[in-house]
Amino acid sequence: MAISLSASTIPSLNAQSRVPAYSSKSSFCSLQFPAQFRRILIGNRGVSSPSGHRCLPLVVEAAKKQTFSSFEDLLANSDKPVLVDFYATWCGPCQFMVPILNEVSTILKDKIQVVKIDTEKYPSIADKFRIEALPTFIIFKDGKPYDRFEGALTVNQLIERIESSLQVKQ
């Protein structure tokens, strides 16, 4: 069975419209969500935010995709650690992370590969890794989960988290 995942130097969401990429100097990247909006909880009865409101997606520029026979194949064939962003298209904090992940992928292109997995298209992968909040990030090294964290972060926060995780645990 073939699985098509959004993966590349910087994968992105499926999108019809385009908006410009944001830099770390952009006020958009320094935006901080209140703590109650940084994660979306997934329960047995569907998906909701702690506030009870459904998040609206931002429309972003589409990037190229790569197809792999399986998620395990993608992890096994990566020559560097893989940061996986588990997201949903309707999740506001997940959409907030798109330009941030684009920038982080560019800055850390020699250190880590960034992959996005839509939890609604691939629920079996989300279930396997017990994804209960969005966005959830897992760093895989040598095909195995290495570090895990949840919630929206700024560019600098995400880079610091990735670098400290890879340095501390090596």
Side-chain angles (χ1 to χ4, degrees):
M1 166 175 68
I3 296 177
S4 175
L5 302 173
S6 295
S8 66
T9 302
I10 183 57
S12 184
L13 306 173
N14 294 331
Q16 301 302 322
S17 301
R18 294 173 180 248
V19 292
Y22 294 92
S23 71
S24 62
K25 294 182 172 93
S26 167
S27 61
F28 183 81
C29 288
S30 63
L31 174 66
Q32 290 289 313
F33 283 103
Q36 69 268 25
F37 295 118
R38 288 191 187 151
R39 295 185 299 156
I40 304 300
L41 302 177
I42 302 174
N44 293 337
R45 297 185 182 175
V47 184
S48 64
S49 70
S51 68
H53 293 98
R54 194 167 176 101
C55 298
L56 299 175
L58 297 173
V59 181
V60 297
E61 185 174 349
K64 73 175 189 174
K65 292 184 179 183
Q66 294 177 348
T67 302
F68 298 88
S69 59
S70 70
F71 181 63
E72 289 76 19
D73 185 37
L74 170 117
L75 295 175
N77 293 322
S78 180
D79 57 345
K80 51 191 164 189
V82 178
L83 172 67
V84 179
D85 170 23
F86 290 92
Y87 76 98
T89 57
W90 51 260
C91 168
C94 300
Q95 299 304 313
F96 168 80
M97 290 304 297
V98 172
I100 292 169
L101 288 167
N102 286 338
E103 190 165 343
V104 168
S105 178
T106 301
I107 293 168
L108 298 179
K109 65 184 174 197
D110 296 329
K111 295 183 181 181
I112 199 159
Q113 178 182 6
V114 178
V115 176
K116 295 182 69 62
I117 296 182
D118 185 334
T119 57
E120 291 187 334
K121 288 184 181 178
Y122 301 102
S124 61
I125 297 173
D127 289 345
K128 179 178 180 179
F129 294 102
R130 297 183 178 161
I131 304 303
E132 297 176 355
L134 297 176
T136 293
F137 302 92
I138 300 178
I139 298 175
F140 290 86
K141 189 170 180 186
D142 300 322
K144 301 198 181 322
Y146 192 67
D147 191 14
R148 177 186 184 117
F149 49 99
E150 300 170 343
L153 303 170
T154 65
V155 171
N156 292 335
Q157 289 171 328
L158 185 56
I159 289 171
E160 184 178 316
R161 178 66 189 245
I162 292 167
E163 288 179 337
S164 68
S165 175
L166 294 176
Q167 288 174 357
V168 169
K169 295 188 178 186
Q170 285 183 349

